[in-house]
Amino acid sequence: MFEAIRDSDLIELSYQAVMRLPLVRKEYVEALARIRVNGELIRPDAIFPIVQARKLDADFDLSVIRAVTRDLGNGQLPAGQGVSINLSAPSIVNAHVVDAMLQLVSSERDRKIVVEITETALITQMETASANINLLRKAGALVALDDFGSGYSSLRYLATMPVDLVKFDISMVRLLEHGEARQKLILEEIAGMVITAGYELVAEGIETREQLDKIIGLGFTHAQGFYFGWPGEEVELRLSSSPSDT
């Protein structure tokens, strides 16, 4: 397993659509990694505890970057199709990982490249992280603060890190629909504040038309989730109409 984490040939990626709102059109895809070992496909919930326990975050993220580069080279992603790649807290301060991302961005000028920073609460070198994020943005990448509201990301990190997008965690999206009145009000105000501050706002985990209508009404700029299809599926097959058509 440990060697597989470092071997991009054993990394299998599926791509989940990220939709532009309110038109509900695919804008780019997020790369989701699995590992194939002895014919068995190992899912992230089994991979990441090992990666973190063995401090292999940078090795794994480098393998994912190489796997995305491989898929781009063999035409798995259409020309011009944007892609989002997740980088962990240790990776965003790792020079080798950042250099690999910069090379990818510079070689794919016709694509929208998004770097999603995960587990921001684990970043201990904030000055280095911010400097590297600025390098990626200057090169042409967009940077997203991932899992906002999950406990990993907070308003403090949003105010500190120079990012372009904010991804509302699935737990917050569900509270927007099923939470108590006070919870809904707080989350709606937070969403409005983030949008007013000039960030693009992505809702994760959209599974129903009702959730989609809700976030469009709040001004979210993007959405992703099983409502639009499973990773790798053609999303248009899952959409009979968009809220803008009704």
Side-chain angles (χ1 to χ4, degrees), residues 21-24 173 176-177 188 203 206-220 222-223 227-228 239-246:
L21 305 178
L23 297 177
V24 197
V173 172
L176 279 172
E177 185 178 22
E188 289 171 2
I206 298 300
E207 298 178 348
T208 67
R209 180 60 176 267
E210 290 73 23
Q211 289 176 331
L212 179 59
D213 289 343
K214 175 70 174 179
I215 63 167
I216 288 177
L218 291 173
F220 279 70
H222 296 80
Y227 177 72
F228 308 108
L239 282 171
S240 57
S241 63
S242 74
S244 60
D245 298 327
T246 58

Side-chain angles (χ1 to χ4, degrees), residues 1 5 35 40-52:
M1 166 69 90
I5 287 170
I35 295 179
E40 179 184 357
L41 196 61
I42 302 175
R43 296 179 56 82
D45 53 359
I47 298 170
F48 293 142
I50 297 174
V51 167
Q52 293 169 351

Side-chain angles (χ1 to χ4, degrees), residues 168 170 173-174 203-208 211 224-226:
F168 239 48
I170 186 173
V173 172
R174 289 173 176 168
E204 297 184 291
I206 298 300
E207 298 178 348
T208 67
Q211 289 176 331
Q224 68 184 109
F226 296 148

Side-chain angles (χ1 to χ4, degrees), residues 96-112:
H96 298 296
V97 176
V98 174
D99 285 345
M101 276 303 314
L102 289 170
Q103 291 175 23
L104 175 60
V105 173
S106 65
S107 65
E108 298 290 339
R109 295 292 186 184
D110 62 333
R111 298 180 190 270
K112 179 174 185 171

Side-chain angles (χ1 to χ4, degrees), residues 12-19 26 28-34 41 43-44 76-77 84 86 167 205-207 224-238:
E12 293 189 14
L13 300 175
S14 57
Y15 295 93
Q16 185 175 45
V18 180
M19 313 297 287
K26 182 167 66 174
Y28 60 97
V29 294
E30 180 181 355
L32 304 175
R34 313 287 188 269
L41 196 61
R43 296 179 56 82
Q76 186 167 336
L77 294 178
S84 175
N86 290 280
K167 299 193 73 174
I206 298 300
E207 298 178 348
Q224 68 184 109
F226 296 148
Y227 177 72
F228 308 108
W230 294 89
E233 287 185 346
E234 184 57 43
V235 297
E236 286 77 9
L237 299 177
R238 296 290 297 270

